[in-house]
Amino acid sequence: MKKIALLAAVLILAAGTLCAIDPRLSAMGGIGIAVRGADMQSYHNPAAVFFDDNRMTFSFHVDVEDTLGEGPIPYVPSSAIDINFIADMLTLGIEVDCFALPRTDNSNVNLFQETILSFNFSAGIGSFSAGIGIRGGSVQQRLDVKMDSVWDFPVQAYLSPFDRVVNSEYIQVSAGLMAVAGEFSMGILMSDILERTDSGTRFNFRTLFSHTGFGIYYSRSQYSSRGIMNNFIYSIGVDLDSAFTDDRVLNAGAELQFRMVRDSSISARAGYSAPLSYFGNGTITAGLGVMFRRIELALNADFPKDENPRAKVMLTVLF
């Protein structure tokens, strides 16, 4: 039972990371190591904060996910609520992620809730920046939870008490570098520098570079009122995660955005993520986003090969 609980905790940590991602990047294959730009809700690479155009911004983000076609809704639901404060060179955030694992009879689930505090700080000069990110929190669990209707998940996940804390001591550190040349940006990210153990984390030189990734990103971000074609903004990016291990993962994605006015837009996004060892068995991602002033609604979907797709609804409000 302990091993099952720890395995489930790892799954919720991974799922929580995906939940908290920026809606754009979630539909773009999970890229982010070299991505920069205003109004982002998360930062893969903490060095990107230096290039963000935001000044003193609050971000409130909610997303809900579920697996389609496998069983009655909700089958494998998950959700995330996070609030970020974005300033000149730093972000502060708090996230609450919930994730359900179905039991063998599919009528009940094992439910997990993760609470995370995060801090990113960056500094730079000109076209170069460096950043450090720190995340930590705890995971709670409840076993054999009844899940008969859609309403059961939010009630059980956010309003009912949890049975026990799985890991209340973990903390994780990431460090990154970024460089900008015109509309291109390049990034290096060393994530998960500390080694996870059953009871916490510790520094280990073996893990310092084991999760190092590289990324490159291009964004045509000019805006002009002269001609409708100048209202189209497009971007494309590629990441290579865990580059120095046998578990290398390639993420690639693109976005086409049409700005109706300066504060409103419609976006179409797509991407692909797969381990290099079996590149044909990856996950296709796609999504649509509508931004009206400071509110964005995103509808995303993941299509893993030979598995049921997952649908996501994401709402973001910027203050």
Side-chain angles (χ1 to χ4, degrees):
M1 179 62 70
K2 182 179 179 181
K3 291 183 178 179
I4 294 176
L6 291 175
L7 174 62
V10 172
L11 290 175
I12 174 60
L13 291 175
T17 302
L18 293 176
C19 285
I21 199 173
D22 185 284
R24 296 173 56 231
L25 307 183
S26 175
M28 296 170 66
I31 63 172
I33 293 178
V35 175
R36 62 186 176 96
D39 299 339
M40 290 198 301
Q41 286 81 62
S42 67
Y43 293 84
H44 274 43
N45 192 335
V49 185
F50 180 76
F51 299 110
D52 199 327
D53 296 330
N54 284 316
R55 295 295 182 269
M56 305 293 286
T57 300
F58 281 97
S59 159
F60 177 77
H61 175 73
V62 178
D63 72 48
V64 180
E65 304 180 25
D66 201 7
T67 300
L68 303 179
E70 183 71 23
I73 295 176
Y75 177 65
V76 188
S78 65
S79 66
I81 299 174
D82 61 86
I83 302 173
N84 282 308
F85 169 73
I86 308 168
D88 197 11
M89 292 186 296
L90 63 87
T91 65
L92 300 172
I94 181 171
E95 307 166 14
V96 179
D97 303 333
C98 293
F99 182 75
L101 290 175
R103 296 173 64 87
T104 54
D105 58 4
N106 290 343
S107 61
N108 291 22
V109 300
N110 294 335
L111 195 62
F112 298 84
Q113 183 187 92
E114 181 185 20
T115 303
I116 306 168
L117 295 176
S118 61
F119 168 80
N120 290 331
F121 175 77
S122 70
I125 181 170
S127 299
F128 300 92
S129 72
I132 184 170
I134 302 173
R135 292 165 57 90
S138 64
V139 179
Q140 301 181 89
Q141 71 172 21
R142 291 178 62 210
L143 302 179
D144 199 23
V145 180
K146 198 70 175 175
M147 199 69 63
D148 291 326
S149 70
V150 173
W151 303 111
D152 284 338
F153 179 73
V155 171
Q156 300 289 355
Y158 293 101
L159 300 179
S160 298
F162 280 76
D163 298 331
R164 65 186 290 261
V165 173
V166 178
N167 189 329
S168 60
E169 299 179 0
Y170 82 87
I171 190 172
Q172 198 49 261
V173 176
S174 300
L177 300 171
M178 284 189 68
V180 173
E183 295 179 326
F184 285 91
S185 54
M186 289 71 71
I188 301 174
L189 176 63
M190 295 179 293
S191 60
D192 297 345
I193 292 176
L194 301 182
E195 182 181 33
R196 285 290 302 273
T197 64
D198 291 347
S199 59
T201 53
R202 63 181 181 179
F203 180 77
N204 188 318
F205 282 103
R206 180 180 58 82
T207 66
L208 182 60
F209 299 103
S210 62
H211 294 283
T212 299
F214 302 89
I216 185 169
Y217 179 72
Y218 172 83
S219 177
R220 189 255 188 198
S221 58
Q222 299 176 0
Y223 179 85
S224 172
S225 60
R226 300 188 302 273
I228 190 171
M229 291 305 295
N230 285 326
N231 292 348
F232 281 99
I233 310 300
Y234 51 87
S235 60
I236 186 170
V238 177
D239 290 352
L240 181 63
D241 291 329
S242 301
F244 301 131
T245 72
D246 294 332
D247 301 321
R248 301 177 187 88
V249 177
L250 184 68
N251 306 316
E255 176 187 46
L256 178 63
Q257 181 184 104
F258 178 72
R259 292 185 179 178
M260 296 174 288
V261 294
R262 194 173 291 269
D263 294 327
S264 301
S265 63
I266 299 175
S267 303
R269 301 148 183 163
Y272 186 72
S273 176
L276 290 183
S277 56
Y278 47 100
F279 190 73
N281 295 322
T283 298
I284 297 173
T285 62
L288 296 174
V290 178
M291 166 96 49
F292 178 73
R293 297 186 182 275
R294 310 293 283 177
I295 299 175
E296 180 179 15
L297 177 65
L299 303 176
N300 294 353
D302 294 344
F303 302 93
K305 185 176 177 59
D306 300 328
E307 296 182 19
N308 292 83
R310 288 187 65 84
K312 310 178 186 181
V313 180
M314 302 180 173
L315 176 66
T316 304
V317 181
L318 301 174
F319 298 93

